[in-house]
Structures are given as C-alpha cells and as structure tokens.
Amino acid sequence: MSNIDFSRLKRYRTQSGLTQEELAEKVGVSRQAVAKWERGESVPDIDSCMKLADIYGTTVDMLVRSFGKQEHTGDGKHIFGLSRVNSKGQVTLPSSCRKVFDIKPGDVMLVLGDEEKGGIAMVKMGGFMDDLEKLIHKDKE
C-alpha cells in the first residue's frame, strides 16, 4: 500500500466547499467516517473512492496515488501536485512551485498549449517582460 495516499482528502473537500457532513451525505457514509479518512485513521472502500473521485472531478488513481505530493527528480524537473481550475478559469499554483520558481503576485506568466498532446505549460517571464516594457517606453519617447 505504499503508493496509496489519502492525505489530500481534506484539501479536496475544502476546495470543493463541502463540510464533512455534506460530503458524507453525498458519499453515503457517516461524518465520522469522513473525519477518520481525513485523519488517516481509516481508508475509504473502493465504492467510496469512486464516489469521491466523481464528486471531485478526478479519477480514483489521481485521488489516491502518492504522486500528488511534490516530487523532485534531481534533474531540475518537479511534480508539484494537483490544482483545480475554479469557476473563473483560475489555477492556484502550489506554494512549493511558487517558492522554487520565485513566483510572486503580479509576475507575468506566458501560457503555452499543445492541442495534439493535450498539454499546457507556463513560463515565468520575469526579466524579459521588464526589458520588453523598457523597450516599448523607450520607443515612445
């Protein structure tokens, strides 16, 4: 069971705006069962996992796999975990990601996408945008 990790269940629930009681009702278990899952005292059965995944808009695999935690491969590549897109289309980057890449409020991010591969990437523009802004202002003078 080393690859199974239910430690994110509370975060999923709170990000969904649900109380333990509301979630318990949706899943068909007691509030105490949800509380025990969130404290790591017990684990949900497979039927409950499938219901949780449906409620949170994810898969059972993504719900329980340990790759949701930050991982660093040692070669400059990271897995920072999962983020949910909110109703405004906004994504909150994990704090560990913001720290590693020194991302602060107001920073400009270039968003890239590849429809064929179904991938999206973000690049912090940092100094490039500052230099571009200076060039634009210089041309206007």
Side-chain angles (χ1 to χ4, degrees):
M1 272 201 8
S2 62
N3 287 338
I4 297 177
D5 178 8
F6 289 94
S7 67
R8 292 178 307 282
L9 290 180
K10 183 175 183 178
R11 183 174 47 147
Y12 274 115
R13 179 181 57 77
T14 57
Q15 285 178 342
S16 296
L18 297 170
T19 65
Q20 286 182 342
E21 192 154 329
E22 290 168 333
L23 179 62
E25 188 175 311
K26 288 178 178 283
V27 177
V29 298
S30 69
R31 184 203 56 77
Q32 292 83 357
V34 172
K36 285 182 179 182
W37 297 342
E38 291 181 358
R39 289 192 306 264
E41 294 175 6
S42 68
V43 294
D45 62 27
I46 191 66
D47 185 51
S48 295
C49 286
M50 291 173 19
K51 289 177 183 176
L52 289 167
D54 287 344
I55 291 165
Y56 299 139
T58 189
T59 65
V60 172
D61 195 43
M62 295 297 282
L63 187 69
V64 303
R65 288 269 184 170
S66 63
F67 55 67
K69 291 182 176 177
Q70 179 183 350
E71 295 179 19
H72 182 250
T73 59
D75 60 358
K77 294 179 175 63
H78 301 262
I79 298 174
F80 292 106
L82 307 173
S83 292
R84 183 179 297 274
V85 178
N86 70 18
S87 62
K88 294 181 180 179
Q90 299 165 326
V91 176
T92 301
L93 299 175
S95 60
S96 54
C97 174
R98 295 189 311 266
K99 183 177 180 181
V100 167
F101 292 99
D102 192 33
I103 298 170
K104 295 179 176 59
D107 283 347
V108 176
M109 305 295 288
L110 173 64
V111 180
L112 308 167
D114 185 331
E115 288 183 52
E116 187 176 309
K117 293 184 180 178
I120 299 172
M122 297 174 71
V123 178
K124 179 181 172 188
M125 297 309 292
F128 170 78
M129 288 305 292
D130 294 337
D131 293 344
L132 182 60
E133 212 170 287
K134 287 177 188 173
L135 284 173
I136 291 170
H137 290 311
K138 185 178 180 182
D139 286 345
K140 288 182 179 180
E141 293 174 353

